Amino acid sequence: MAQEASSSTSSKTISLKTGDGEIFEIEASAAKQMKTVQRLIDDLGDDITIPLHNVFSKELPKIIEYYKKDITGEITKDFEAEFVKDLNDDEVKVLFLAANYLDANKLFEFLSQNIADRLESKSVEYVRKYFGVENDFTPEEESKLREERAWSFRGIKEDE
Amino acid sequence: MEKCVPMAAGKNEDLKYEVSNNNNRINVHIADDIAFSILSKLPIKSLKRFGCVRKSWSLLFENPYFMNMLRNHFLYNNNRHCSDYGGDTFLFLYEPLRPHYYRASFYLLSNDKFEDRIKLDLPPPFDGEDIAMYILSSVSVNGIFCLGKDTRRGIVNSFQAALWNPATAEVMGIPPSPDESVPPYRDPFFIFHGFGYDNVRDDYKLIRYITFFQVVDEEEDVPYEDRSYDPLLQIYSLRSNSWRILDVNIPDGYDISMIDFEKPVGVYMDGVCHWWGTTDFGNGEGYLVSFDLRNEVFFTTPTPVELDMDLSRDPISIEWPDAIDRRLVVLNESIALISNRFKATTFHISILVELGVKESWIKLFIVGPIPSLDWPIAVGKKGGICFRQTNDELVWIDLSTQIIDEIGVKGERYCYQMGIYKESLLCIGGIND
C-alpha cells in the first residue's frame, strides 16, 4: 500500500518500501550501514518513503533484524549462527543478493562466508545451478580438467 | 527452463534488472565479481574442484583480482585463528657471550617485541655454555617442548633429549635409544628428527632417522656379512617411555637417504612431522617428507617445476645460478614453503593444499624485493613472517602491507627458532603408562 510517511518529528526512522509494495521502518543509524539506502536518502530526503525495487517483503525484515543488532554492537558468533540456522541455501542466496543490492557490506561478507561454508562439499553441478551459470566447457575440455584436478575430487562425496 | 536474468555487476552500481516475479529470483545469475566474494572464502581444495564449473572459474588462480581477494581472506582467517588461539611468540636463539662463544637463550615475546620479553631458564643439561641444542620441530605442542642436544665424543655423536613444560618447570629426560649405541663398525650420521602429538593414543612421540658410515676398525671382529649399515628409523613413545625401531617404508621408492636435509629440524602440524630436503642442491629440486605420528607412515610430496617459474625473473647469483633456498614453515594451518633464488631478496611463498599431491602447491604471496632481508626464520602470531636482515637484526614483515617492523634483537644466521607457545599445566609424567 503506497503511503507517504508524514513529516516525522523524529528524523530517526526511515521508511522503506519493498518491490512488492510493503513498508518497513528502520532506524536512521541502521540505514547508514546500507550504502544504497543512504544514497537514496541523500538524494530524496529522509522524510520520504525510500523505494527499494529489488528487495522484497520476504527478506527485508531479516536484513533489518541484522542491522538492528549491529547498531547496538550485539552481533556475536551465536547470533550469526542463529540468524542463518533455519534458512535453506536458496533463502540465503536471496538475502545475499539483497545485501549486495543494498550495499550492506557487513551482512554481505557474513553471508558470503555462510554460503561458502554451505557449498564446500557440494557437487560441481549443484554449484553451477546455484550461481545460475552455464557450463561453457566442451565435454573433452571438462574431462581433461577433471583429470588434472582429480586430487581435488578425492575424498569428496559430492552431495546434492 | 531457467530464467536467467541479467544483473549489473558490482556493489557500487545501481542494479538495472527486472524481476518478473518472486518465484524466479532463486534462479538469478550471480555475476562473477560478486561470486568472487563467496569463492574467495572457500577452502582451496574446493576452489580447485569448482574450476570445472565454467571456464572463467578454471582460471581463478591466474586472475590477479581474485587472487588478491583470496590472499586477503587467507590472512584475515589466519589473524582470527591466532587471536582465538592466544599464546605468545617464543624465540630461541644463540646470543654471543664473547667472540665465537655462544649461549642458547629462550624468550617469550608478549607482543612480538624483544623489549617486552620474558627470559625463561632452560633446564639442565640444556643450560650449559657453548652447546649445540635445538627445539625439535620448532614447536610447542599443548605447552610442551622437546629439547634436543647433540654431543660429539670423538667420532661418536650422541643425542640427548628431554620434554619440558616451562609453565610448571617439569623436565623429563628421554632415555637413550639402545640402537644408537652402535657397534664400532659404524658411525651414526643422523639425518632428521621430529616431535609431536598422536591424538589417537594421547601420546607424545619423537622420531629420529639415522644413517651410518662405515668405520674402519681392524680390531672389529664382527664378520662383514653380519654388519648392517641400513638406515635406522626410531620412534620414542612417552606412554611406553621407550624407543622402537620402525621399518622404513617409503612409498614410490623414494630413497630418503639420498635427500639432503639441510635443516634436520622440521616442522609439526596436526599429528604430522614434516621436513624439507633437496635432491639437487644446484637447482633446489626437492621433496617434502612427511611422517604421520598416528599411523606411523611416511609420505613424500615433490615440488613441481612451475613453482619456481616466477623466481626466474629474480636476480641470480653467478656461482649458483639455479640454486634456490627454501624454508619450510607452517602458515595459517597449512604447510608452506618460502623460496628465493640464492642471494635474491624476493621471497615466494607457496602453500601445500593436499599432502602428497605435487599439483596442489599454490603460489600465494611474494615478499620483496627488500634489499635488507637475508633469510626467513618463522611465521609469527599475526601471520607476519620473521626475517633476519643482512645487518643481523630480526624483523617482522606483514604479509599484506610488506611493512617492516623491528623486533629489536640480533643473532647468528642459522640459530633461530620461533613459534607460538600457549601455556598449559599438562603433567608430562602423568602421561607415562
Side-chain angles (χ1 to χ4, degrees), chain B residues 33-47:
Chain B
D33 73 333
I34 56 166
F36 286 0
S37 296
I38 298 172
L39 297 178
S40 59
K41 298 174 174 70
L42 280 166
I44 296 184
K45 187 172 174 179
S46 301
L47 260 182

Side-chain angles (χ1 to χ4, degrees), chain A residues 67-76 106:
Chain A
Y67 278 101
K68 252 199 178 105
K69 273 284 192 199
D70 185 39
I71 57 178
T72 60
E74 280 169 29
I75 294 192
T76 60
K106 191 162 178 174

Side-chain angles (χ1 to χ4, degrees), chain B residues 12 34 39 180 196 206 214 231 237 347 351 374 390 392 397 401 415-416:
Chain B
N12 298 322
I34 56 166
L39 297 178
E180 248 180 270
L206 253 87
Q214 185 178 358
S237 141
F347 298 87
I351 63 165
D374 181 29
T390 48
D392 294 352
I397 304 280
T401 61
C415 300
Y416 299 103

